[in-house]
């Protein structure tokens, strides 16, 4: 929606500033402003923009966590990832998975420095994951079945593309 489209521009700025500095942050915002995907998704009331906002927040707080080692950034990152998971599971999981592998690598290399901050990420995300699992169980009969899968069947969006191949 338009509000989260505007907030996403702020998140783009802060993430780019954290990674590459002020000049690149300004360029990133300009590119986001002229991106057709961002403009069209922000003009509609679909959940793509809101999910993108929370995933950008997750990435920003995760990078802050790595730079500072502060547990509060881990908690914020986990909460942002958890909220994105509630909005769009199919977008949040593939986005967070490589970051989780990166976190495990850091945890393996420097366990004393990163155990508590990365534990805070897990702590921040856990209530959201548990709520999603409870919601799926109550509405769909299983914590692992989303409403989309219940309504359309498993991987229905893929099977529709190959209907012409069936004899």
């Amino acid at each position: 929606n338009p509000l989260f489209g505007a907030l996403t521009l702020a998140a783009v700025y802060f993430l780019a500033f954290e990674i590459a500095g002020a000049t690149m942050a300004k360029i990133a915002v300009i590119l986001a402003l002229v991106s057709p995907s961002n403009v069209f998704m922000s003009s509609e009331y679909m959940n793509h923009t809101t999910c993108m906002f929370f995933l950008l927040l997750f990435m920003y707080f995760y990078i802050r966590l790595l730079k500072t080692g502060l547990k509060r950034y881990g908690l914020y990152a986990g909460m942002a990832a958890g909220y994105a998971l509630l909005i769009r599971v199919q977008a949040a999981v593939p986005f967070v998975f490589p970051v989780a592998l990166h976190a495990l690598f850091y945890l393996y290399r420097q366990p004393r420095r990163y155990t508590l901050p990365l534990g805070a990420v897990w702590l921040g995300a856990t209530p959201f994951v548990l709520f999603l699992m409870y919601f799926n169980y109550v509405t769909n009969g299983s914590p692992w079945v989303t409403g989309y899968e219940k309504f359309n069947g498993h991987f229905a969006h893929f099977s529709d593309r190959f209907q012409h191949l069936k004899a």
Side-chain angles (χ1 to χ4, degrees):
N1 64 44
L3 174 64
F4 275 101
L7 291 173
T8 298
L9 292 176
V12 165
Y13 178 84
F14 287 116
L15 178 61
F17 185 85
E18 192 65 35
I19 295 171
T23 303
M24 293 308 283
K26 292 173 187 173
I27 292 171
V29 169
I30 291 169
L31 290 173
L33 276 171
V34 298
S35 165
S37 173
N38 192 35
V39 171
F40 293 135
M41 287 299 162
S42 297
S43 67
E44 299 175 359
Y45 289 95
M46 297 175 67
N47 57 8
H48 298 79
T49 304
T50 310
C51 185
M52 181 172 52
F53 169 73
F54 283 104
L55 289 174
L56 286 170
L57 277 185
F58 162 70
M59 203 65 209
Y60 169 75
F61 288 127
Y62 180 73
I63 291 171
R64 292 290 299 156
L65 164 103
L66 294 179
K67 286 185 173 183
T68 66
L70 296 175
K71 293 180 282 291
R72 71 171 179 238
Y73 291 123
L75 188 64
Y76 300 155
M79 291 168 55
Y83 203 82
L85 184 75
L86 291 180
I87 297 169
R88 285 182 61 84
V89 175
Q90 68 273 30
V93 170
F95 189 89
V96 172
F97 183 72
V99 178
L101 293 177
H102 182 266
L104 289 174
F105 176 73
Y106 265 66
L107 192 59
Y108 175 74
R109 295 213 36 210
Q110 299 177 18
R112 286 182 182 233
R113 180 173 181 197
Y114 289 110
T115 298
L116 290 177
L118 291 174
V121 175
W122 182 253
L123 183 66
T126 298
F128 295 94
V129 172
L130 292 176
F131 176 77
L132 179 63
M133 292 175 69
Y134 172 75
F135 178 80
N136 285 340
Y137 176 75
V138 169
T139 57
N140 304 318
S142 170
W144 308 110
V145 176
T146 64
Y148 181 83
E149 291 172 318
K150 180 78 170 181
F151 184 74
N152 294 312
H154 293 289
F155 304 108
H157 55 288
F158 291 118
S159 64
D160 291 345
R161 294 182 183 167
F162 301 105
Q163 290 295 329
H164 66 283
L165 299 177
K166 292 184 179 178

